Amino acid sequence: MEGNEYQGVAGLRDELTNRMRTRYPDRNFDSQNGETGQTSLEQSIIDALTEDAARIEGYKELEDKTNALASLFNTSEKAATFLNVLAETGDPAAAIYKSYGKEAHDAFVNGDASELITSIEEEDAKRRAEDQSAFEEKEKNMNDSIARMEEWGKSKGLSEQEQVDTFMRLYNMLCDAAIGIYSEELFEMAYKSSRYDADVETARREGEVAGRNAKIRERNIKRERSAAMPPSLQGQGVRPTDQPKEKTKSEGDFWLD
């Protein structure tokens, strides 16, 4: 049993030695510790671990810088242009001119571009923040509008597809209007909207007049029919000498205009 454990340790030591020989081919791993000018296996392992740790730290630092550059590309259009032009031409002055303009280029040539470029980047950052805020507000307003449309559609008994069709129809008209295209349909909508209350009031009055005229017409027809019937059919007798009285119109019988 002990022999197997020794063989395992010896095999591991041989594997480590072979790896260290590959990594440090100029070192002598056959000599004993303490001999001048020679390096032990243990020291080589320590050196390898130290170098790997430094390399890992370097990788982390490189990763951090790469992430910073990626963030710069994503957040600053001018900085991204500068880096691209610099990579293509190797000329920082040309890159500054291309990305930040002539004023920044002249300041760079005179050795005083840092403050100006910082100011430009701050203004761009402010603009981007305002754009983002406006986008978020627009998105919220759109969601609210869709919710209102759904409630309106339900009150009208519209299907989901009918609601979508109505929304897209209005959306397309407004998109056209945003680039200066106003259709006759849009004019008609605005015209009807501005006259809606007046049209409703006119329709209400016309309905009332029509209703009163219909009642007057019905009453007059009944009177005319009654006057044309013989007295015996009306349930009463008439003396031969009686003459029917001339019919006169009452004030309520006049037609309304």
Side-chain angles (χ1 to χ4, degrees), residues 166-220:
T166 301
F167 180 86
M168 292 307 302
R169 183 180 178 188
L170 180 60
Y171 176 81
N172 290 332
M173 285 192 293
L174 294 178
C175 286
D176 288 342
I179 57 175
I181 301 175
Y182 291 82
S183 64
E184 292 183 1
E185 186 178 10
L186 191 58
F187 292 144
E188 188 70 18
M189 289 174 59
Y191 175 75
K192 289 181 178 179
S193 175
S194 65
R195 294 180 54 86
Y196 178 77
D197 292 339
D199 289 344
V200 169
E201 180 62 20
T202 299
R204 184 186 66 79
R205 290 179 180 177
E206 291 176 350
E208 291 177 354
V209 170
R212 286 198 295 267
N213 285 342
K215 290 181 180 179
I216 292 171
R217 185 183 300 107
E218 182 180 0
R219 186 165 62 246
N220 288 341

Side-chain angles (χ1 to χ4, degrees), residues 92-93 96-97 100-118 120:
I96 288 177
Y97 188 93
Y100 295 101
K102 184 177 184 302
E103 186 178 358
H105 170 268
D106 294 344
F108 173 77
V109 172
N110 295 327
D112 190 23
S114 178
E115 184 175 348
L116 178 58
I117 291 177
T118 299
I120 294 173

Side-chain angles (χ1 to χ4, degrees), residues 136-170:
E136 292 173 355
E137 182 179 2
K138 180 180 179 181
E139 187 176 27
K140 178 182 179 301
N141 291 339
M142 179 61 74
N143 291 333
D144 293 343
S145 296
I146 292 175
R148 283 193 296 271
M149 181 200 69
E150 290 176 346
E151 290 298 323
W152 171 82
K154 290 178 182 178
S155 70
K156 298 293 184 181
L158 301 180
S159 67
E160 183 175 343
Q161 186 58 49
E162 288 173 327
Q163 294 177 34
V164 172
D165 292 342
T166 301
F167 180 86
M168 292 307 302
R169 183 180 178 188
L170 180 60

Side-chain angles (χ1 to χ4, degrees), residues 57-110:
E57 185 64 27
Y59 288 153
K60 184 178 182 304
E61 182 179 354
L62 179 60
E63 182 181 9
D64 292 341
K65 291 180 179 180
T66 301
N67 290 337
L69 282 174
S71 176
L72 189 62
F73 267 88
N74 293 329
T75 58
S76 174
E77 181 180 353
K78 287 183 172 59
T81 300
F82 170 80
L83 293 173
N84 283 327
V85 175
L86 181 63
E88 292 174 0
T89 65
D91 185 351
I96 288 177
Y97 188 93
K98 180 71 173 179
S99 54
Y100 295 101
K102 184 177 184 302
E103 186 178 358
H105 170 268
D106 294 344
F108 173 77
V109 172
N110 295 327

Side-chain angles (χ1 to χ4, degrees), residues 23-36:
R23 186 156 184 171
Y24 303 110
D26 57 333
R27 297 184 181 184
N28 185 356
F29 294 93
D30 297 327
S31 301
Q32 298 295 323
N33 291 339
E35 293 186 16
T36 305

